[in-house]
Amino acid sequence: MERLATELAALGRDAASVGMPDRREGGLRQLHILGGDGLVSFLVVPRDTCVYVVNVAWVG
């Protein structure tokens, strides 16, 4: 999880287009992990130059 958070932070503002929803940037984003058995929710705040990991869920 730490590595994924580091990679999202390295993307900076471009992290706002990673994951779902597909056709919209910004807001709360979701990214499937662990082959679809997990879900990471994160928020990109460009004015703070931060990526906040909000929730990590495993449904396996």
Side-chain angles (χ1 to χ4, degrees), residues 4-59:
L4 178 61
T6 301
E7 290 176 7
L8 286 171
L11 284 173
R13 294 175 190 237
D14 293 334
S17 61
V18 172
M20 302 180 302
D22 294 332
R23 295 180 182 94
R24 181 173 55 94
E25 285 192 8
L28 187 65
R29 311 293 300 170
Q30 295 178 337
L31 184 63
H32 287 283
I33 59 171
L34 302 172
D37 288 339
L39 189 68
V40 175
S41 300
F42 61 96
L43 183 64
V44 179
V45 183
R47 73 169 184 264
D48 292 343
T49 62
C50 291
V51 176
Y52 298 100
V53 175
V54 178
N55 190 27
V56 179
W58 178 63
V59 294

